[in-house]
Amino acid sequence: MKNIPIILVLVLVLGISACGPAPSGGAGISADSAVTAWFDAPLPGTIYWPPNPCLIVAHASSPVGIARFVLFINGTEVAQLPSPDTTSTIVTLTTECNLAEP
């Protein structure tokens, strides 16, 4: 299994679902407070063979904070992880992949 689809799905999911709490004066996130997400690991094209360790390093940014990270692998949700810091505008998440197959 190639990890390129995994990374693309994770980027899309983080960009859509890693929104923080709504600004105090509004009903939602405005166009000028968009969420941005990116990955440092795994790198595109990387294949992990269990039981070798696999590390996910993801970042998300939003002017209103990041509440949680939702991770998908090959289209399947594998984890909802609380943000390590809900008050910062840029957050780094580091977690193990825990893969059962390559």
Side-chain angles (χ1 to χ4, degrees):
M1 133 174 91
K2 296 189 180 209
N3 286 338
I4 292 174
I6 294 169
I7 293 169
L8 293 175
V9 169
L10 290 172
V11 169
L12 290 173
V13 169
L14 284 173
I16 293 169
S17 65
C19 300
S24 59
I29 295 177
S30 66
D32 63 336
S33 62
V35 174
T36 304
W38 65 98
F39 289 84
D40 285 340
L43 296 175
T46 303
I47 299 174
Y48 290 97
W49 296 93
N52 294 329
C54 169
L55 187 66
I56 294 174
V57 180
H59 307 276
S61 69
S62 170
V64 296
I66 303 297
R68 71 174 176 256
F69 288 80
V70 180
L71 302 177
F72 285 74
I73 295 179
N74 291 336
T76 302
E77 183 178 318
V78 295
Q80 287 196 25
L81 305 168
S83 175
D85 183 353
T86 58
T87 61
S88 291
T89 58
I90 299 177
V91 179
T92 301
L93 173 74
T94 303
T95 188
E96 291 291 325
C97 296
N98 299 321
L99 298 174
E101 59 186 73

